């Protein structure tokens, strides 16, 4: 039974508060309780011990039921407000409490003198204290204590501590003190630290601060003793308040600094408590100590919380300058956190950022109202430092809360306005308006605009400055609200400003907007436009005059035809002489613009228009504007007669050449093709040159399709066929130079003539050996198979051979000649002979590659043979078998050196041939790319016994 009860305790401690499910620890506990209860209920004789054990089980079950009810209550409270229905959740607990209580009282009644009476009363008292509403805890616990005369009895001690806890919960602190004082004298009690802690709170409640501090300190130090339950964290969270209540917060600071390595978590709450109690200097000293700890130990995880504690402290005592200084530091902290927290470095906490924003907002609002009130009462009564503090807060808020930047800018402007700093207010209103537009806050935008209009209406700013802000306010207002009561008055006023400034661009743009918003004011708008036209005529601004004539013709402001004709006549009288003079004076840009305006003006003939367009084209070409020049050439052609077009042809050839020299190959191509097509029938040198230019410029732009289009579609326009042949050769070389396999293959298929078909095989061969792209190599192999040419088939075989060379080389280089611990001459000769026969077989299999017509393959193969023979020579020379006497060793080394020399000589012969081949590579003709064979070297085999070199291959 006892073992089962201990298991219940263990499982109960491990139980986690979560919804009850089948198979959980709660379920297991309940099963265990019910099982034991069933066993006891079936007992035939139920003596005092069994009855008392059943009371314990009822109490344990009561605890489990209460836990289940509490979990259900907590889960429901997450989604609903159940505070008024709490009792309904705990009905099962209350009912089972009454059952348990009745069971215990029945034990007392049926056997009043039983030896478990004190224990039963103790259990009844505990259950009443924790689960009951009948207030029998004090009575039953006192009765239990009275029955136990031995002051050192453990049950009496537990009853006294339970009674002390009861008095503590009921706020009967004097009574609790009596029993806690008894409890702490039992040094064997694991919970002595908790009793000391509770006792300290009791003394605090009765304002006996010395004993309160003494007992809570004792709880702290005793928690370090493993014999007691460690409540160090609870003590540390509360001891600071004890020192504050006692009026000695600095002693609390000393306690934390002396006893805790990292006391910051406890010092800041103590500082706030000291602040609330009016200990200003002490609070500041505590916070200073925290900052010193952070700086010394680099405990940046506390910095945010400390800044906020400082903010609360300075706000509490209205120290606004200090508050703003800390706010500035906090903004810098958050900016640093943003930059650090994006990397893998240690992150800085930013959990209180929203709280920081709210603290700064509320204080800034309070100070703004105070500042405005001071400024209203007496213009000179406010202090600049007060203004600067308010403005600084808005700056901080813009950084921390950028989504509300527009609002903070508006508050800044309003702050300037409230203290009559209008020169600063105006641009700040503009900032607020611009930011409001970005975030589409029309309400705030309108408020700021109205304030700016009110400010400019006062006319207290410098005249030009006031006009600048007035224009801005007018423009923004009609932009956002093009039609409302205020806008209707703004249009004429804003137009008058623009006309006085001779700003015709904005004046005419305004007229368009005015007409769109208020078409009913057409006559007024026409009068305004005639004022602008008069300005153009007065300044002889023919370009603008011509433009607006065109706009009027398309219906702008519905001017009459008679009015438009009169304006055109005036323009013609000004225009023609003016542009001719500009061209003579070399003012090319303005002359070109002038020629353009003549071209677009319907007053002039096609001949004049074609000349003006062509001159505009030449002028733009001189300025390097090749694309614009081409556009004007096209327009000029559209107005020319056929005779004029032919007359201009050679001049346009020079234009095409000049255009590609200016690196505009696309335009040069378009011009050349255009004239090739236009004058194809002439078939003269000029046409040949256009043909050459078109092919060349297309290839420079990687436009191979365009180049072939010129070759095939315009060959009929050529005087000489050699020009076409040269062009095709250029295209072939372009594909070859760029390593464009698919482009070259398609080109050869489109032009299947012998020069390209023959060269194509060698181009692919050159790419195969010179480029590293494996996909390209595979494509070349496939193409060689498709070509099915005897030469390409032979090349494919050699390529496959060379791929096999790599594994053979590795086998030769890694093969073991001799590695036995004891030397045997005959065995050694056999091994060496076998190795050299492998080398002979390798040579016979692959030496043909050194004579390949694929010169790159021949070079690579020759290099392989050179390296292989060198490696073999070095390996033979380095052989030093173990187990030889001194004389035999010397003879062996001499023989190996003689044998090795043959391979070294062969390697040098291959290397010399390789150097010669590399020097001649660039001069070798396609189709004869091979290297002469190297002097044959037979496989020598060394005989240790005779010391002779024999050629076994001749046996």
């Amino acid at each position: 039974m006892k073992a089962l009860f201990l298991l219940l305790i263990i499982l109960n401690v491990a139980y986690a508060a979560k919804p009850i499910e089948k198979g959980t620890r709660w379920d297991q506990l309940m099963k265990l309780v019910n099982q034991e209860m069933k066993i006891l209920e079936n007992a035939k004789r139920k003596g005092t011990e069994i009855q008392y054990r059943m009371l314990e089980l009822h109490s344990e079950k009561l605890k489990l039921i209460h836990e289940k009810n509490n979990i259900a209550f907590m889960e429901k409270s997450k989604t609903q407000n159940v505070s008024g229905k709490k009792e309904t959740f705990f009905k099962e607990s209350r009912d089972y409490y009454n059952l348990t209580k009745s069971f215990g009282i029945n034990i007392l009644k049926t056997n009043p003198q039983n030896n478990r009476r004190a224990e039963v009363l103790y259990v009844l008292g505990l259950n009443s204290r924790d689960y009951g509403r009948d207030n029998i805890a004090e009575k039953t616990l006192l009765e239990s204590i009275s029955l136990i005369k031995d002051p050192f009895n453990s049950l009496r001690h537990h009853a006294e501590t339970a009674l002390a806890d009861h008095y503590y919960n009921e706020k009967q602190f004097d009574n609790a003190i009596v029993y806690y004082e008894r409890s702490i004298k039992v040094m064997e009690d694991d919970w002595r630290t908790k009793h000391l802690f509770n006792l300290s709170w009791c003394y605090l409640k009765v304002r006996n601060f010395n004993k309160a501090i003494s007992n809570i300190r004792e709880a702290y130090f005793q928690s370090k003793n493993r014999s007691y339950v460690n409540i160090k964290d609870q003590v540390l969270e509360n001891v600071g308040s004890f020192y504050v209540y006692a009026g000695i917060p600095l002693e609390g600071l000393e306690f934390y600094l002396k006893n805790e390595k990292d006391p910051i978590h406890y010092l800041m709450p103590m500082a706030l408590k000291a602040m609330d109690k009016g200990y200003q200097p002490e609070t500041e000293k505590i916070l200073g100590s925290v900052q010193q700890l952070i700086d010394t130990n680099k405990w940046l995880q506390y910095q945010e919380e400390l800044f906020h504690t400082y903010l609360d402290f300075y706000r509490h005592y209205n120290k606004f300058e200090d508050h703003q200084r800390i706010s500035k530091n906090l903004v810098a902290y958050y900016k640093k956190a943003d930059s650090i927290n994006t990397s893998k470095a240690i992150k800085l906490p930013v959990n209180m950022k929203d709280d920081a924003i709210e603290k700064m907002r509320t204080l800034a609002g309070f100070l703004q109202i105070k500042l405005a009130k001071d400024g209203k009462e007496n213009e000179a009564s406010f202090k600049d430092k007060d203004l600067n503090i308010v403005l600084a807060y808005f700056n901080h808020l813009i950084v921390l809360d950028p989504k509300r930047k527009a609002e903070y800018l508006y508050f800044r402007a309003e702050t300037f306005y409230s203290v009559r700093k209008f020169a600063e207010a105006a641009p700040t209103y503009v900032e607020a308006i611009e930011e409001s537009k970005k975030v589409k806050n029309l309400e705030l935008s309108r408020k700021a605009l109205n304030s700016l209009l009110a400010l400019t209406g006062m006319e207290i700013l410098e005249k030009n400055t006031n006009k600048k802000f007035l224009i801005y306010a007018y423009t923004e207002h009609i932009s956002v609200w093009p039609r409302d009561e205020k806008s209707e008055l703004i249009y004429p006023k804003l137009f008058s400003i623009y006309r006085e400034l001779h700003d015709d661009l904005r004046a005419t743009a305004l007229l368009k907007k005015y007409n769109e918003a208020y078409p009913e004011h057409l006559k007024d708008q026409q009068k305004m436009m005639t004022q602008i036209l008069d300005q153009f005529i007065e300044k002889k601004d023919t370009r603008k005059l011509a433009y607006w004539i065109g706009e009027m013709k398309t219906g702008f402001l519905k001017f009459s035809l008679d009015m438009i004709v009169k304006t055109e006549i005036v323009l013609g009288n000004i225009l023609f002489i003016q542009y001719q003079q500009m061209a003579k004076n070399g003012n090319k840009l303005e002359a070109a613009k002038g020629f353009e305006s003549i071209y677009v003006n319907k007053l002039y003939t096609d001949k004049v228009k074609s000349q003006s367009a062509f001159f505009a084209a030449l002028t733009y070409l001189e300025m390097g504007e090749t694309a614009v020049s081409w556009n004007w050439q096209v327009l000029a052609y559209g107005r020319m007669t056929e005779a004029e077009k032919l007359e201009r042809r050679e001049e346009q050839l020079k234009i095409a050449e000049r255009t590609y020299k200016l690196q505009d190959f696309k335009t040069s191509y378009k011009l050349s093709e255009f004239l090739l097509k236009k004058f194809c029938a002439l078939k003269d040198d000029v046409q040949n040159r256009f043909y050459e230019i078109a092919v060349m410029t297309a290839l420079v732009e990687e436009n191979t399709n365009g180049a072939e289009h010129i070759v095939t579609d315009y060959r009929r326009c050529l005087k000489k066929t050699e020009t076409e042949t040269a062009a095709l050769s250029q295209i072939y070389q372009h594909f070859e130079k760029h390593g464009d396999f698919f482009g070259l293959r398609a080109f050869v298929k489109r032009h299947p003539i012998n020069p390209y078909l023959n060269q194509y095989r060698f181009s692919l061969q050159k790419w195969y050996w010179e480029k590293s792209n494996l996909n390209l190599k595979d494509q070349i192999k496939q193409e060689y198979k498709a070509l099915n040419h005897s030469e390409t088939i032979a090349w494919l075989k050699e390529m496959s051979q060379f791929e096999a060379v790599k594994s053979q080389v590795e086998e030769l280089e890694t093969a073991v000649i001799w590695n036995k611990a004891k030397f045997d001459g005959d065995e050694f000769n056999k091994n060496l002979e076998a190795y050299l026969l492998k080398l002979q077989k390798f040579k016979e299999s692959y030496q043909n590659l050194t004579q390949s017509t694929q010169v790159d393959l021949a070079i690579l193969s020759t290099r392989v043979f050179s390296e292989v023979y060198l490696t073999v020579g070095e390996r033979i020379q380095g052989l030093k078998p173990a187990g030889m006497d001194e004389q035999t060793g010397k003879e062996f080394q001499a023989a190996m050196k003689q044998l090795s020399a043959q391979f070294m000589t062969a390697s040098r012969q291959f290397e010399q041939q390789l150097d010669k081949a590399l020097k001649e590579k660039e001069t070798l003709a396609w189709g004869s790319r091979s290297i002469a064979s190297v002097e044959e070297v037979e496989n020598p085999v060394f005989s240790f016994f005779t010391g002779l070199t024999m050629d076994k291959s001749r046996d």
Side-chain angles (χ1 to χ4, degrees):
M1 294 294 185
K2 293 295 182 181
L4 177 59
F5 185 63
L6 287 174
L7 178 61
L8 287 174
I9 294 173
I10 294 168
L11 289 173
N12 196 40
V13 170
Y15 172 68
K18 59 181 178 181
I20 306 303
E21 296 178 2
K22 190 173 182 180
T24 61
R25 284 187 174 83
W26 187 96
D27 190 48
Q28 294 173 24
L29 288 170
M30 186 60 81
K31 283 182 180 179
L32 289 171
V33 170
N34 288 334
Q35 287 172 0
E36 186 178 354
M37 182 69 79
K38 188 174 181 180
I39 293 170
L40 296 178
E41 286 175 346
N42 291 331
K44 292 182 178 180
R45 297 180 61 187
K46 295 184 179 67
T48 302
E49 292 301 319
I50 290 179
Q51 287 183 326
Y52 175 66
R53 178 61 188 147
M54 291 177 70
L55 176 62
E56 286 184 327
L57 291 172
H58 279 305
S59 300
E60 187 63 33
K61 189 171 182 178
L62 172 61
K63 181 179 181 181
L64 290 171
I65 291 170
H66 187 271
E67 285 177 351
K68 181 182 72 172
N69 292 163
N70 191 54
I71 289 170
F73 173 73
M74 296 302 292
E75 287 296 314
K76 197 69 174 178
S77 65
K78 292 178 181 178
T79 56
Q80 296 181 19
N81 182 8
V82 293
S83 57
K85 303 176 183 178
K86 185 174 180 179
E87 280 303 311
T88 60
F89 287 90
F90 290 93
K91 184 178 184 305
E92 186 181 6
S93 295
R94 305 289 180 237
D95 291 345
Y96 203 82
Y97 168 74
N98 291 331
L99 184 151
T100 305
K101 175 183 174 184
S102 297
F103 187 86
I105 291 173
N106 187 57
I107 294 173
L108 297 176
K109 285 182 178 180
T110 56
N111 189 1
Q113 302 302 320
N114 75 77
N115 60 350
R116 287 285 189 177
R117 183 177 183 81
E119 284 93 332
V120 171
L121 287 167
Y122 172 67
V123 171
L124 288 173
L126 282 183
N127 287 343
S128 175
R129 184 193 72 181
D130 295 337
Y131 311 112
R133 296 293 179 87
D134 49 10
N135 297 320
I136 66 168
E138 180 182 17
K139 175 178 175 298
T140 51
L141 289 172
L142 284 171
E143 189 174 349
S144 175
I145 293 168
S146 68
L147 291 174
I148 305 169
K149 303 306 180 183
D150 181 4
F152 302 106
N153 184 281
S154 62
L155 178 62
R156 176 179 176 126
H157 169 69
H158 291 317
E160 287 177 343
T161 55
L163 185 59
D165 291 342
H166 168 74
Y167 285 138
Y168 182 88
N169 293 334
E170 295 295 319
K171 296 182 172 51
Q172 298 179 32
F173 300 114
D174 287 323
N175 289 336
I177 288 171
V178 172
Y179 286 96
Y180 277 134
E181 286 286 5
R182 294 180 187 177
S183 297
I184 64 174
K185 291 177 181 177
V186 180
M187 308 303 288
E188 298 80 13
D189 188 350
D190 296 350
W191 291 96
R192 183 169 179 267
T193 48
K194 183 182 79 71
H195 305 328
L196 285 165
F197 181 71
N198 290 346
L199 178 59
S200 69
W201 270 104
C202 293
Y203 277 123
L204 185 71
K205 294 297 184 180
V206 299
R207 303 186 65 78
N208 189 337
F209 299 121
N210 288 338
K211 286 192 175 183
I213 291 173
S214 172
N215 280 283
I216 199 169
R217 283 172 60 93
E218 182 67 13
Y220 171 81
F221 292 117
Q222 289 300 321
S223 289
K224 296 180 180 181
N225 187 337
R226 294 186 178 181
S227 301
Y228 300 123
V229 174
N230 189 339
I231 61 165
K232 175 184 172 184
D233 291 339
Q234 291 174 265
V235 173
L236 289 171
E237 287 174 2
N238 291 276
V239 68
S241 298
F242 280 47
Y243 281 105
V244 172
Y245 286 129
I248 49 174
L250 293 185
E251 290 187 25
L253 170 64
E254 182 183 355
F255 172 83
Y256 281 126
L257 294 177
K258 181 178 179 181
N259 294 291
E260 282 298 308
K261 183 179 179 181
D262 179 6
I264 291 180
H265 180 71
Y266 312 105
L267 287 175
M268 283 191 276
M270 186 179 79
L272 290 175
K273 181 70 71 175
M275 175 191 77
D276 290 338
K277 294 300 180 181
Y279 298 112
Q280 180 178 344
E282 292 85 348
T283 303
E284 199 155 17
K285 187 167 183 180
I286 294 169
L287 294 178
S289 297
V290 173
Q291 185 65 68
Q292 187 175 358
L293 286 169
I294 292 172
D295 294 341
T296 302
N297 299 288
K298 300 188 185 309
W299 289 339
L300 298 179
Q301 68 270 25
Y302 296 117
Q303 189 64 70
E304 182 190 25
E305 185 181 354
L306 177 59
F307 280 145
H308 278 264
T309 307
Y310 264 120
L311 291 182
D312 295 338
F313 171 67
Y314 288 132
R315 182 67 182 89
H316 184 79
Y317 290 105
N318 292 333
K319 300 180 73 173
F320 301 126
E321 287 185 76
D322 290 324
H323 192 284
Q324 191 280 130
R325 174 176 54 80
I326 294 298
S327 297
K328 182 179 179 181
N329 293 340
L330 187 55
V331 170
Y333 170 87
Y334 284 127
K335 287 173 71 175
K336 181 179 179 182
D338 287 342
S339 63
I340 290 178
N341 291 355
T342 56
S343 67
K344 294 183 179 179
I346 297 174
K347 296 184 182 300
L348 297 178
V350 292
N351 304 321
M352 305 173 73
K353 189 174 183 179
D354 291 340
D355 188 34
I357 293 170
E358 188 57 31
K359 286 175 180 178
M360 293 183 201
R361 274 177 60 85
T362 53
L363 184 55
F366 166 77
L367 294 177
Q368 185 190 37
I369 293 170
K370 182 177 182 298
L371 190 68
K373 182 179 179 182
D374 292 343
K376 190 174 182 181
E377 291 176 355
N378 183 351
E379 194 172 317
S381 66
F382 80 91
K383 298 176 182 178
D384 283 338
K385 71 173 184 177
D386 296 335
L387 172 63
N388 292 335
I389 289 174
V390 174
L391 296 176
Y393 277 118
F394 289 131
N395 288 339
H396 300 335
L397 288 166
I398 287 171
V399 175
L400 294 183
D401 191 15
K403 291 181 180 179
R404 301 176 72 174
K405 181 180 178 181
E407 182 182 337
Y408 300 134
L409 288 169
Y410 175 70
F411 290 154
R412 277 176 58 86
E414 290 286 278
T415 304
F416 281 127
Y417 190 97
S418 68
V419 295
R420 304 184 65 79
K421 286 187 174 288
F422 302 115
E424 291 84 354
T428 312
Y429 280 126
V430 171
E431 287 184 80
I433 294 164
E434 292 299 316
E435 188 62 28
S436 299
K437 285 161 59 180
K438 290 181 185 177
V439 298
K440 299 180 181 178
N441 188 337
L442 293 182
E443 181 182 354
L444 184 60
S445 181
R446 186 153 200 153
K447 285 171 64 177
L449 274 170
N450 288 339
S451 297
L452 185 57
L453 284 170
L455 192 157
T456 53
M458 296 165 64
E459 296 187 349
I460 54 177
L461 298 175
E462 188 272 328
K463 184 177 180 181
N464 289 333
T465 302
N466 198 72
K467 184 176 288 185
K468 179 183 75 172
F469 288 114
L470 182 59
I471 290 172
Y472 175 83
Y474 280 163
T475 304
E476 289 299 319
H477 197 282
I478 63 175
S479 175
V480 181
W481 300 279
R483 187 178 175 96
D484 74 353
E485 292 181 5
K486 189 173 288 188
S487 293
E488 189 174 9
L489 300 174
I490 286 175
Y491 286 112
K493 293 179 180 179
L494 184 55
F495 177 82
S496 295
I497 295 173
Y498 287 150
R499 185 177 60 80
E500 290 173 7
L501 294 172
H502 290 267
D503 191 342
D504 57 273
L505 291 176
R506 290 200 284 183
T508 50
L510 177 66
L511 279 177
K512 283 186 177 181
K513 195 173 184 68
Y514 186 18
N515 182 250
E516 290 169 3
Y518 290 96
E520 62 267 31
H521 297 330
L522 179 63
K523 289 198 176 293
D524 292 335
Q525 293 156 7
Q526 287 176 338
K527 288 178 183 178
M528 293 176 185
M529 186 63 202
T530 56
Q531 292 174 340
I532 299 299
L533 292 174
D534 288 342
Q535 286 185 343
F536 293 153
I537 294 168
E538 182 182 346
K539 294 189 290 184
K540 294 183 173 56
D541 193 338
T542 54
R543 182 178 61 83
K544 290 182 179 179
L545 197 57
Y547 171 79
W548 284 107
I549 289 171
E551 290 293 297
M552 290 158 64
K553 284 183 176 181
T554 60
F556 176 63
L557 296 183
K558 299 179 181 178
F559 277 102
S560 67
L561 180 60
D562 182 57
M563 175 65 181
I564 295 171
V565 170
K566 287 179 180 178
T567 309
E568 285 179 333
I569 292 170
V570 173
L571 171 63
N573 291 335
I574 299 170
L575 185 69
F576 199 69
I577 298 173
Q578 180 180 354
Y579 296 139
Q580 284 182 326
Q581 190 60 45
M582 282 182 189
K584 286 181 182 179
N585 295 337
N587 197 343
K588 297 184 184 299
L589 180 58
E590 291 188 34
K593 294 296 182 184
F595 292 131
E596 289 180 27
S597 66
I598 293 173
Y599 179 86
V600 298
N601 196 306
K602 293 182 180 180
L603 292 173
Y604 302 111
T605 64
D606 279 349
K607 184 174 182 65
V608 174
K609 286 178 176 288
S610 66
Q611 288 176 335
S612 63
F614 196 76
F615 291 149
L618 291 174
T619 306
Y620 278 119
L621 186 63
E622 288 297 317
M623 293 187 289
E625 298 285 345
T626 51
V628 181
S629 173
W630 161 246
N631 292 335
W632 280 104
Q633 288 181 72
V634 174
L635 293 174
Y637 247 60
R639 300 282 184 175
M640 287 180 186
T641 64
E642 290 303 314
E644 288 171 337
K645 291 174 183 176
L646 185 59
E647 183 183 343
R648 296 284 188 189
R649 191 166 69 103
E650 291 192 14
E651 193 170 1
Q652 287 197 289
L653 175 59
K654 295 177 181 177
I655 292 174
E657 291 177 330
R658 178 69 183 276
T659 301
Y660 80 68
K661 288 177 181 177
L662 289 170
Q663 304 298 305
D664 186 351
F665 303 105
K666 289 182 180 179
T667 301
S668 181
Y669 174 85
K670 286 192 288 186
L671 177 57
S672 300
E673 184 190 17
F674 177 78
L675 293 171
L676 262 174
K677 185 176 182 180
K678 179 68 182 173
F679 297 105
C680 184
L682 294 179
K683 295 185 180 180
D684 57 8
D685 290 336
V686 175
Q687 289 298 96
N688 275 15
R689 183 57 181 150
F690 276 127
Y691 186 93
E692 291 171 349
I693 292 172
V695 172
M696 176 195 69
T697 52
L699 291 177
V700 170
E701 287 291 320
E702 307 287 336
N703 181 11
T704 54
N705 290 335
E708 286 199 63
H709 159 66
I710 296 296
V711 170
T712 56
D713 290 4
Y714 297 111
R715 58 165 62 97
R716 56 191 171 82
C717 307
L718 294 174
K719 178 182 179 182
K720 299 181 294 185
T721 58
E722 293 86 345
T723 307
E724 179 191 355
T725 303
L728 284 171
S729 180
Q730 278 184 287
I731 297 170
Y732 183 97
Q733 290 169 12
H734 176 86
F735 285 126
E736 185 183 58
K737 178 182 177 182
H738 287 77
D740 186 348
F741 170 78
F742 294 106
L744 186 61
R745 183 175 67 177
F747 175 82
V748 172
K749 287 183 179 181
R750 288 193 296 271
H751 304 281
I753 55 179
N754 192 49
Y756 306 123
L757 290 173
N758 186 49
Q759 188 174 351
Y760 179 52
R761 297 194 303 277
F762 291 98
S763 295
L764 295 182
Q765 183 206 109
K766 182 173 182 288
W767 286 347
Y768 183 87
W769 294 109
E770 290 184 356
K771 297 191 179 295
S772 58
N773 188 311
L774 296 179
N775 287 333
L776 176 61
K777 290 178 183 289
D778 288 339
Q779 289 160 358
I780 290 171
K781 287 180 180 180
Q782 294 301 321
E783 185 66 5
Y784 275 170
K785 290 177 184 178
L787 289 174
N788 199 25
H789 189 275
S790 59
E791 193 170 31
T792 60
I793 297 301
W795 290 347
L796 278 171
K797 291 180 180 178
E798 290 177 344
M799 290 172 183
S800 298
Q801 261 192 297
F802 187 69
E803 289 176 0
V805 165
K806 299 174 185 176
S807 61
Q808 294 294 319
V809 169
E810 184 178 356
E811 185 177 341
L812 282 169
E813 290 179 347
T814 57
V816 177
I817 298 174
W818 182 262
N819 61 353
K820 296 181 180 180
K822 184 177 180 181
F823 182 73
D824 183 323
D826 288 335
E827 188 67 23
F828 174 81
N829 282 347
K830 289 178 184 179
N831 288 1
L832 181 59
E833 179 180 2
Y835 177 73
L836 295 178
L837 286 174
K838 283 184 184 179
L839 178 62
Q840 178 67 17
K841 184 178 179 182
F842 173 79
K843 176 186 172 187
E844 291 170 354
S845 299
Y846 302 111
Q847 190 171 359
N848 66 296
L849 296 180
T850 64
Q851 304 174 47
S852 174
T853 57
Q854 301 183 74
V855 72
D856 297 279
L857 174 57
I859 289 171
L860 290 171
S861 302
T862 303
R863 179 176 287 118
V864 167
F865 273 93
S866 174
E867 291 172 354
V868 166
Y869 273 73
L870 178 62
T871 302
V872 170
E874 289 175 344
R875 293 190 68 194
I876 290 173
Q877 186 173 354
L879 285 171
K880 294 180 180 179
M884 289 185 180
D885 57 49
E886 184 178 351
Q887 182 60 34
T888 303
K890 288 180 180 180
E891 292 174 359
F892 180 86
Q893 292 298 323
M896 290 301 101
K897 185 174 182 182
Q898 179 185 356
L899 180 59
S900 171
Q902 297 180 54
F903 292 101
M904 297 293 193
T905 300
S907 175
R908 285 194 295 274
Q909 288 175 345
F910 279 117
E911 193 66 33
Q912 289 166 4
Q913 187 61 37
L914 180 62
D915 290 342
K916 181 180 178 183
L918 289 172
K919 290 174 183 177
E920 295 176 354
K921 179 180 175 182
E922 297 303 321
T923 61
L924 291 172
W926 289 103
S928 59
R929 297 162 65 85
S930 63
I931 300 177
S933 63
V934 179
E935 179 183 341
E936 291 187 357
V937 178
E938 301 296 345
N939 275 2
V941 179
F942 174 76
S943 170
F944 174 73
F945 295 105
T946 62
L948 299 176
T949 299
M950 301 176 295
D951 186 355
K952 292 290 185 181
S953 64
R954 296 176 185 173
D955 289 347

